[in-house]
Amino acid sequence: MPPNDGADLAIATAVVHKPLPHDSAVLHVQGAANYVDDIGEPVGTLHIAIGMADKACGRLKGWAWTLCARRRAWSSF
Amino acid sequence: MMSVVTRPIRVRNAVRFLFRGGEVVLDRFSPRATVLDWLREEMRAKGTKEGCAEGDCGACTVVLARLKAGALAYEPFNACILLLGQLDGAELITIEDLAKGGELHPLQRAMVDHHASQCGFCTPGIVMSLFAAYHSGAPQTYNALCDQLAGNLCRCTGYRPIIAAALETCNGAAGDRFAATAGSRAAALAALADREDVFVGDEAAFFAAPASLDSLAALYARFPDATLVAGATDVGLWITKQLRDLKRIIWLGRVAGLDGVRPTADNAVSLGATLTLEDAAPLLGAIHSDLGELLRRFGSKQVRASGTVGGNIANGSPIGDLAPALIALGSRVVLRKGAKIRALPLEDFFIAYGKQDRDPGEFVAAVETPRLAAHQHYRAFKVSKRLDEDISAVMLAVRVDVDGRRILGARIGCGGMAATPKRAANAEQALIGVSLDKQASWRAACAALSQDFAPLTDQRASAAYRMTVAANLLEKALLEISGASTPTRIGMLHAAE
């Protein structure tokens, strides 16, 4: 459908071919933009370390116990 | 047994610095605490970002304002590897300080107007580096800004709009509120300056900053296992990357006179151990322009503001650039232990990887560097993957002494070619008596480098590449010294086009 008049076209293309400042630029230059690293961790945040198995399909045996021991070690920090 | 005479000294048990318009006094902190951790974790000031945590990317750049020769000097530092105690006596300025009451600093305004941020993560560090340039007192050129930003890695916006914003703003006449308050801030800094030894902590764990050479000698004799810190541009990484639990730190930055520059009796220039690389650059550049260029490419502005001549030597790194450059000049290192002072040829200081000729309790006091005589020619070349802020694959420096067109002798210093900075004895021998007019006769010396070195293959370069580059650099030096018109520098090639 063609635009019904020139005014609509002007609105529709108002941002085309024009330089626009970055939405967050004013925050960037002040160090005020919040990145994930800047958000405080809630108390008790669980940290997960991923250990990779060398078998794609297998049965978990004694290794699980080691994992639990490690977990205890971490939580004692 | 050597004895050290101690005198009663006044000790200040806190570090003091200016921050956000007030004085901060810290009398209890971990000696290995960094400025970045203090800002982000203690002050909850998250504007200063952590990128690489090894002084490379510049996302954590802060500015220290300090009195230098009576005037306020603004220099950028990597907060991630700057120890908290190193702030003593300085004003710490961070990204949050620039805008006031909702009004952006002129630099910030220009950065926004020029669309000079994209992801924005490197932006606070870039603004702070440019803030130092803004207060440098000189209009910034394109080239000067490229050097200023060598230690600020941006990988999405691109530097063109950043430099456009800086060229528009950094005109040499600072007109911000920092300029308006310079007088009162300088007075506050002057009021902080005292000559007291600083000791924070206890015998088991401390941050100490002795104020005199005698205090340093006495303290280090008492705690020979303490870690001496000058600029922390490497020790900082022991903390952030190797997670070393350094408990006793002696910072050299307050030792009066340790950064002194003096002529020696034999007309060499003595560079005090804590003279920063930034301050040493014009002095070394006056000895030879290649040294000036080497220093321009040495780390980054942030690293040169912090790192020192003595630190680069004492560290003993096989890839530190200063050692080979100064070995070729025939420099001496001056060491002090207690009251005993000795000097030795710089090349003899480096014994093996990680091992220097330095006794427990002994420290590097100065490096004495001869100037060049009229019959001496000098060249220094650094080859690295990146032009700026990179570690050398090969660093080669050579001094050639001539009698007319005949080579009397040579001193060749190499970095990146062995476990230590090392002279090339066989190549030097092969140059004796050789004519500058017979290019074919130089080849034996270039080939002899393979008897002097058996370089490693690592991520920076292969052994074969290093060997080839070293031989080519020596030939390039000789070609230039011989006066041949062959273009050997990139600038000459461009000029020829």
Side-chain angles (χ1 to χ4, degrees):
Chain A
M1 198 172 79
N4 53 6
D5 58 37
D8 277 4
L9 182 65
I11 291 166
T13 59
V15 296
V16 176
H17 289 174
K18 290 188 178 65
L20 284 176
H22 192 308
D23 287 349
S24 302
V26 169
L27 298 176
H28 289 158
V29 298
Q30 300 183 83
N34 224 15
Y35 294 80
V36 171
D37 195 31
D38 302 331
I39 302 167
E41 289 170 1
V43 173
T45 299
L46 179 65
H47 291 261
I48 298 174
I50 298 170
M52 306 293 280
D54 56 7
K55 284 191 170 55
C57 182
R59 197 174 292 274
L60 208 55
K61 293 181 181 170
W63 194 70
W65 173 246
T66 317
L67 191 68
C68 289
R70 288 243 175 106
R71 189 182 157 198
R72 276 209 303 274
W74 288 337
S75 60
S76 72
F77 268 52
Chain B
M1 269 305 274
M2 173 217 57
S3 68
V4 176
V5 180
T6 54
R7 59 188 168 78
I9 42 170
R10 288 170 59 101
V11 174
R12 171 153 57 82
N13 295 114
V15 301
R16 305 181 305 197
F17 56 93
L18 303 182
F19 181 59
R20 309 259 199 268
E23 181 182 327
V24 176
V25 180
L26 297 175
D27 60 0
R28 227 173 58 171
F29 59 90
S30 163
R32 62 199 285 281
T34 64
V35 172
L36 184 63
D37 281 351
W38 181 77
L39 282 170
R40 291 182 59 86
E41 306 304 325
E42 303 282 325
M43 294 295 102
R44 314 295 293 172
K46 306 283 193 177
T48 308
K49 305 303 179 192
E50 179 173 49
C52 67
E54 57 184 40
D56 199 29
C57 78
C60 66
T61 302
V62 297
V63 165
L64 297 192
R66 292 175 297 181
L67 288 175
K68 274 192 173 178
L72 267 183
Y74 296 76
E75 288 185 293
F77 288 82
N78 290 310
C80 67
I81 51 169
L82 186 68
L83 301 184
L84 185 54
Q86 289 181 264
L87 294 178
D88 192 67
E91 178 188 14
L92 170 64
I93 304 172
T94 72
I95 188 69
E96 292 92 343
D97 295 320
L98 267 55
K100 182 83 174 175
E103 191 184 333
L104 295 180
H105 185 277
L107 259 175
Q108 293 172 317
R109 185 75 260 162
M111 288 281 288
V112 173
D113 292 346
H114 282 272
H115 303 183
S117 73
Q118 187 163 301
C119 87
F121 195 79
C122 69
T123 309
I126 283 176
V127 171
M128 293 313 292
S129 271
L130 295 178
F131 176 74
Y134 179 83
H135 281 282
S136 69
Q140 294 293 302
T141 61
Y142 176 84
N143 285 342
L145 286 166
C146 289
D147 289 341
Q148 189 76 24
L149 291 174
N152 290 89
L153 304 188
C154 165
R155 290 297 175 262
C156 68
T157 311
Y159 290 90
R160 190 205 53 76
I162 296 170
I163 288 179
L167 280 172
E168 182 181 285
T169 324
C170 301
N171 58 10
D176 59 2
R177 65 190 179 86
F178 291 89
T181 58
S184 61
R185 289 168 41 246
L189 284 172
L192 275 189
D194 61 26
R195 300 284 4 125
E196 293 179 1
D197 294 331
V198 171
F199 190 97
V200 183
D202 53 34
E203 293 197 355
F206 62 75
F207 181 93
S212 70
L213 273 166
D214 288 342
S215 291
L216 166 62
L219 186 70
Y220 199 29
R222 188 170 162 210
F223 298 104
D225 67 336
T227 304
L228 291 188
V229 174
T233 55
D234 195 37
V235 175
L237 275 70
W238 303 358
I239 293 169
T240 61
K241 295 293 164 171
Q242 299 174 0
L243 308 179
R244 280 202 224 171
D245 189 14
L246 305 177
K247 292 190 188 309
R248 294 166 169 166
I249 287 180
I250 301 175
W251 177 48
L252 306 173
R254 276 177 61 79
V255 179
L258 195 53
D259 62 349
V261 178
R262 284 177 281 281
T264 64
D266 57 352
N267 198 33
V269 56
S270 172
L271 306 173
T274 54
L275 185 70
T276 64
L277 296 165
E278 188 70 22
D279 290 343
L283 300 167
L284 292 170
I287 293 176
H288 194 273
S289 57
D290 276 359
L291 284 170
E293 174 65 3
L294 179 68
L295 267 287
R296 188 186 69 78
R297 290 174 55 201
F298 204 117
S300 61
K301 205 86 176 172
Q302 292 92 323
V303 167
R304 294 194 296 274
S306 202
T308 65
V309 170
N312 195 246
I313 298 301
N315 184 281
S317 166
I319 37 145
D321 285 333
L322 219 43
L326 296 184
I327 284 172
L329 278 174
S331 302
R332 301 176 294 263
V333 60
V334 180
L335 299 153
R336 175 168 170 171
K337 179 177 182 174
K340 192 178 138 218
I341 294 171
R342 67 182 173 117
L344 68 158
L346 183 54
E347 58 269 30
D348 294 346
F349 180 63
F350 307 105
I351 297 171
Y353 182 76
K355 184 170 163 49
Q356 295 86 45
D357 183 357
R358 190 168 70 84
D359 289 341
E362 193 172 44
F363 59 88
V364 173
V367 180
E368 296 178 349
T369 296
R371 295 180 174 87
L372 291 166
H375 70 289
Q376 294 175 329
H377 299 275
Y378 181 82
R379 293 293 186 278
F381 301 121
K382 166 174 178 159
V383 174
S384 52
K385 284 187 175 172
R386 211 165 53 189
L387 190 64
D388 290 311
E389 201 193 27
D390 201 0
I391 292 170
S392 293
V394 177
M395 163 81 216
L396 182 140
V398 57
R399 192 190 83 192
V400 178
D401 300 0
V402 297
D403 177 13
R405 302 295 290 167
R406 200 171 68 87
I407 294 176
L408 296 174
R411 297 177 58 90
I412 302 169
C414 284
M417 294 292 288
T420 61
K422 192 169 167 260
R423 277 178 76 174
N426 288 294
E428 290 177 8
Q429 186 65 36
L431 280 176
I432 295 174
V434 164
S435 168
L436 283 176
D437 294 320
K438 294 180 184 152
Q439 191 172 349
S441 68
W442 313 338
R443 298 266 156 75
C446 298
L449 285 169
S450 63
Q451 295 157 34
D452 289 313
F453 299 108
L456 289 177
T457 292
D458 63 13
Q459 74 275 20
R460 278 185 282 279
S462 68
Y465 177 81
R466 285 189 157 105
M467 215 54 249
T468 303
V469 164
N472 289 352
L473 289 179
L474 181 57
E475 183 159 1
K476 168 170 160 166
L478 292 165
L479 201 58
E480 290 189 359
I481 291 167
S482 76
S485 58
T486 316
T488 49
R489 307 269 174 145
I490 293 170
M492 294 164 75
L493 288 172
H494 287 174
E497 275 169 9

